[in-house]
Amino acid sequence: MSGQSLLVPGTVSPHRGVPASIPRPEYVGKDAPTPYTGPEVQDAETVEKMRIAGRIAARAMAEAAGHIAPGVTTDKLDEVAHEYLCDHGAYPSTLGYRKFPKSLCTSVNEVICHGIPDSTVLRDGDIVNLDVTAYIHGVHGDNNATYLCGEVDEESRLLVERTRESLNRAIKAVRPGRQINVIGRVIESYAKRFGYGVVRDFTGHGINSSFHSGLIIPHYDDPRATTVMKAGMTFTIEPMLTLGTHEWDMWEDGWTVVTKDRKRTAQFEHTLVVTDSGAEILTLP
């Protein structure tokens, strides 16, 4: 694995504004969102709106990823995604969610998830996860992916490639009538082939008009995850695999989650809708 020094918190830039014409999620300006009480199965109109939100989120992520290079700050990536979302009439769902200060998450190397964009400068050999969610027409579309910055060592490159594959395999396992835990079973069995850790405490989630509906999608084989999938259910799958332990620490910012052994980790995510025969990915550009 790369012998680069571990990350340290940088300086967070001032809040980026969103045009007043763009509708905000109900949680903006509040300590926490209002708990979701609606159905996990969505009607066709809601799913179509989620296709729009998902497509914008995917394109915003791709736009930001195009700027990943040694010497670029994670704050610059936030600026690019923020401007793309606003230019397309979408609100950056993370901005103001439980007081998160930025418009996407940038999780580098040993950061599992929820890294806050700041003055951190990307280095040759880093791996960088971008997590972008768009809110438009009253619904959210959520996706993330891990990218290579410059020349990345083989161990890290394989981790990224295999984490993407674990998501692909999990999506293929989605079927109405199956329990949710089949998703984690597929991911964990694949990850174990390579000795990877599978993060347990951060999961996929139901998503619709609510950013996080309360439905939990574990990425390991959890016998408690017995909810049966139904056509029309919308949720994310977002496996986080590590080169070492699945255990974690959190920075003092209350958001940035890092592997306890500080080994590298990768993540990929799509928002899906369960169909009569499988799953449709809603976060495709």
Side-chain angles (χ1 to χ4, degrees), residues 88-208:
H88 290 80
Y91 185 91
S93 300
T94 60
L95 184 62
Y97 179 78
R98 297 185 183 272
K99 298 187 176 180
F100 190 84
K102 289 294 173 182
S103 298
L104 81 166
C105 300
T106 51
S107 301
V108 180
N109 296 344
E110 69 270 19
V111 179
I112 294 171
C113 57
H114 304 159
I116 299 174
D118 59 18
S119 60
T120 296
V121 176
L122 297 178
R123 302 163 296 183
D124 186 64
D126 284 341
I127 59 173
V128 187
N129 180 273
L130 303 183
D131 193 336
V132 181
T133 308
Y135 177 78
I136 189 170
H137 303 316
V139 298
H140 301 267
D142 186 4
N143 67 164
N144 78 54
T146 303
Y147 300 89
L148 311 182
C149 181
E151 295 295 322
V152 174
D153 67 272
E154 181 73 355
E155 186 178 36
S156 298
R157 187 189 64 78
L158 286 172
L159 173 68
V160 171
E161 179 181 303
R162 290 164 176 167
T163 305
R164 180 191 293 111
E165 176 62 15
S166 76
L167 173 60
N168 292 339
R169 290 175 179 233
I171 292 171
K172 290 176 182 176
V174 172
R175 290 284 188 284
R178 290 182 176 177
Q179 293 183 343
I180 288 290
N181 56 21
V182 70
I183 293 168
R185 190 175 307 131
V186 167
I187 292 168
E188 187 172 42
S189 63
Y190 179 71
K192 280 184 173 179
R193 289 169 48 182
F194 311 104
Y196 295 154
V198 180
V199 173
R200 293 172 169 238
D201 295 332
F202 300 90
T203 68
H205 52 90
I207 184 170
N208 38 67

